Amino acid sequence: VDRGISLPGVTEARLIRIDGSSEKLVPADGAVTLGISGEPVMLRYKSASDKLARDFATASITVGEQPLTILKGKTRDIRVSGPGLKADDFAVLLPPRWTVTTRQDGADVVCTISAPELTDARIGRVMIQRKSGAGIAAELIIPLTIMSPISVEVYATGRNKDGEPGLRIHVTNNGAEEKTLNWATELINSWPINKGTFKLQDPQPVQSYLKGENEGQMKLAAGAERDLMVSIVDSDPQTIYRSRVTVTDEIGRKVVNERMIGGFASAAHALAAPKIDGKLDDAVWAKAETQLVAEERQFFPMRKVKEGEEPLWKGADDLSAKWRAAWDDNNFYLAVEVTDDVHHVQFADGSIWNQDGLQFLFDPTRNQAEKAGKYDYSVGKGTKGEQAWCHLTAHSSVGEGDATKDFQIAVSDLPGSAGGKIYEIAIPWTRLAPFKPAAGLNLGMSMIMNEDDGPGRDSFMGWFSGVHSKQLDLAGDVVLQK
């Protein structure tokens, strides 16, 4: 957002950016203007008052449409508005090999930006400054997403009638001319789970194969989009695959998309929100697909077993789970039935991960190469009752710490299991920002059940992994269904 910041009586300020660079600012009409985002800046100034500036003023420049994109080798206009604006008032700073021209258009100023055709950068940072006498009174930093004429996005899909998961390859012609495109899709590596985790340094040959629209040629009109559907045959539900999609145009230019993919768990669309009471008798849970955590290879021991000691995992009655997921416009829902021979808790608040309970790692930008960050949430019933705790956050709007007031949590006893529990959870999408729910999208997720039979947490079992190491590459895909 573009904000004016009141600095009455201040003649000079220093703006310090997160990369350490700085700029002298000279307030105009007692205020400076800054573009405020999740990337922090520091504003230093001397004032007769001992109070920090907290009042907003009218922004002297604003940019309307955001986020902004630009095609490689093309131009785009950025319209800048503000009171009394003149083209001569501007300085526009660009990345190397970019160009800009400015022109007056009524009360606004239009900056025409040109990007180079040959660049591997994904973001171009454009800095627009408004002058004030001998200094600068306003600064907006605008990140322009650099797009190729052809863009490719890859999504995991749910299982078809034959039980085969798949890929949805979304191809877009961002240019102004029709394109003839050749494409090919392949699985280039695989990593099966072993002892509760994946050894990314030790890829295995791919045992699965692809069928469907995994290769071919098409004509794509200017501005058009197309989905290519591919099935994965003989896939393993606890294996991570690396997919590669290559699209080549008629003059040999290539776009390559690679991403980790796996799990293919479906989240059912809830027509009515389930009541979070730990009973799992709502209609959506009857239609939601069940996922299992019940194999020895999903068990992660955190200590060695001494000679003569019983194994840490003695089978499904010792520790296992089945879980289901659902969603609506407001929340992501989880129903997790944990079988456990002993339920033991001794902590609360930020330590609820260190005992029996659930822990999640969420990737809110699953199909993007540039990650926004990660969410690490613990959910359980400790010495203070049901709680949720955020250990890591992926967005400036979401704070770390106690998340109980935002979550809905119900924990009940699982019939037939001495220490088993049913966890029914509603997580508001605002707690998984910047992810925005829609049918067909993927949410990256790993879930583990921490195990404490009395002496302390000594192991866990999981659907995918990475919660303990905070590695998003070890997460699986949850697919939002219609």
Side-chain angles (χ1 to χ4, degrees):
V1 295
D2 305 329
R3 287 285 185 267
I5 301 171
S6 296
L7 296 175
V10 175
T11 58
E12 180 180 312
R14 174 66 59 177
L15 171 68
I16 303 175
R17 309 180 189 97
I18 195 170
D19 62 1
S21 61
S22 65
E23 186 78 47
K24 184 178 78 170
L25 300 181
V26 177
D29 299 323
V32 297
T33 295
L34 296 176
I36 308 298
S37 68
E39 185 176 282
V41 294
M42 179 182 288
L43 193 60
R44 299 182 65 190
Y45 56 92
K46 292 182 179 180
S47 171
S49 170
D50 60 356
K51 294 182 179 180
L52 291 174
R54 296 186 182 275
D55 295 329
F56 288 136
T58 300
S60 63
I61 54 174
T62 60
V63 174
E65 179 193 353
Q66 292 201 43
L68 298 174
T69 61
I70 191 168
L71 278 173
K72 293 180 181 180
K74 301 296 182 180
T75 63
R76 73 150 298 140
D77 290 342
I78 297 178
R79 180 172 294 273
V80 187
S81 304
L85 211 54
K86 301 296 180 186
D88 292 341
D89 294 343
F90 278 96
V92 182
L93 308 181
L94 300 166
R97 299 187 296 119
W98 291 52
T99 61
V100 61
T101 60
T102 58
R103 59 181 173 85
Q104 195 78 33
D105 185 13
D108 297 340
V109 172
V110 176
C111 302
T112 301
I113 310 289
S114 298
E117 184 171 5
L118 299 177
T119 177
D120 291 327
R122 295 188 177 94
I123 299 290
R125 290 162 60 90
V126 175
M127 186 182 297
I128 298 178
Q129 298 176 329
R130 185 175 187 176
K131 303 171 188 176
S132 173
I136 301 296
E139 177 181 287
L140 308 180
I141 297 179
I142 302 169
L144 287 180
T145 300
I146 303 170
M147 302 176 65
S148 296
I150 300 298
S151 61
V152 179
E153 298 173 292
V154 178
Y155 298 88
T157 66
R159 299 178 185 277
N160 60 23
K161 59 182 177 58
D162 297 321
E164 299 163 346
L167 308 176
R168 176 170 63 90
I169 302 158
H170 187 73
V171 184
T172 304
N173 181 357
N174 301 304
E177 300 173 350
E178 182 183 71
K179 294 287 184 182
T180 300
L181 304 174
N182 292 279
W183 80 89
T185 305
E186 56 187 329
L187 300 178
I188 56 176
N189 287 120
S190 69
W191 295 268
I193 197 168
N194 183 36
K195 294 184 178 179
T197 191
F198 302 87
K199 295 182 178 180
L200 296 184
Q201 72 277 15
D202 186 23
Q204 302 297 308
V206 178
Q207 303 297 324
S208 306
Y209 64 94
L210 303 176
K211 71 177 184 181
E213 298 176 294
N214 53 301
E215 61 181 0
Q217 186 181 85
M218 63 177 165
K219 290 185 181 294
L220 199 60
E225 306 173 30
R226 179 175 167 183
D227 280 337
L228 308 170
M229 305 303 295
V230 179
S231 297
I232 305 175
V233 183
D234 293 338
S235 67
D236 175 50
Q238 280 289 298
T239 288
I240 294 172
Y241 300 93
R242 181 183 287 278
S243 66
R244 176 190 289 158
V245 179
T246 304
V247 178
T248 309
D249 69 11
E250 58 272 301
I251 61 173
R253 291 179 299 193
K254 290 184 178 180
V255 178
V256 180
N257 180 300
E258 289 188 13
R259 63 158 288 191
M260 299 295 209
I261 202 160
F264 309 95
S266 291
H269 190 201
L271 300 179
K275 184 178 180 181
I276 306 302
D277 54 10
K279 296 180 180 179
L280 308 188
D281 54 0
D282 300 275
V284 69
W285 297 131
K287 72 174 184 177
E289 182 181 87
T290 298
Q291 306 291 326
L292 299 178
V293 184
E295 300 178 58
E296 185 174 7
R297 62 178 180 157
Q298 296 171 289
F299 182 79
F300 186 96
M302 302 182 68
R303 64 176 178 85
K304 291 185 177 181
V305 176
K306 298 177 183 178
E307 186 175 351
E309 186 181 11
E310 288 187 338
L312 292 179
W313 190 69
K314 298 182 284 292
D317 289 339
D318 183 4
L319 183 66
S320 60
K322 60 181 181 180
W323 66 272
R324 289 163 283 175
W327 71 281
D328 60 21
D329 290 343
N330 300 312
N331 297 294
F332 179 57
Y333 302 100
L334 287 160
V336 187
E337 299 171 71
V338 178
T339 298
D340 193 0
D341 59 341
V342 177
H343 183 74
H344 184 255
V345 295
Q346 53 188 322
F347 299 112
D349 300 327
S351 296
I352 58 173
W353 62 272
N354 199 21
Q355 58 189 5
D356 280 351
L358 305 178
Q359 195 171 353
F360 300 90
L361 190 69
F362 288 109
D363 179 358
T365 51
R366 177 64 170 163
N367 69 318
Q368 297 180 18
E370 298 293 328
K371 298 299 182 183
K374 64 197 77 174
Y375 287 102
D376 180 1
Y377 283 114
S378 293
V379 179
K381 186 174 183 178
T383 57
K384 291 184 178 179
E386 286 100 341
Q387 282 190 295
W389 202 269
C390 180
H391 306 285
L392 290 172
T393 179
H395 198 265
S396 58
S397 66
V398 180
E400 295 179 1
D402 194 352
T404 309
K405 63 180 178 61
D406 293 331
F407 282 46
Q408 299 175 58
I409 308 165
V411 182
S412 60
D413 292 334
L414 179 67
S417 176
K421 297 293 179 185
I422 298 173
Y423 298 83
E424 192 172 17
I425 307 163
I427 305 174
W429 290 117
T430 52
R431 273 280 175 180
L432 294 171
F435 186 86
K436 293 183 179 180
L441 297 189
N442 300 166
L443 178 67
M445 188 185 90
S446 295
M447 180 192 73
I448 63 174
M449 302 98 68
N450 288 313
E451 174 76 322
D452 178 1
D453 281 349
R457 175 177 178 261
D458 61 7
S459 57
F460 61 78
M461 274 189 95
W463 187 80
F464 284 76
S465 190
V467 182
H468 62 302
S469 61
K470 317 309 177 194
Q471 289 182 267
L472 289 180
D473 280 346
L474 308 188
D477 287 281
V478 179
V479 183
L480 274 58
Q481 300 294 336
K482 292 183 180 179

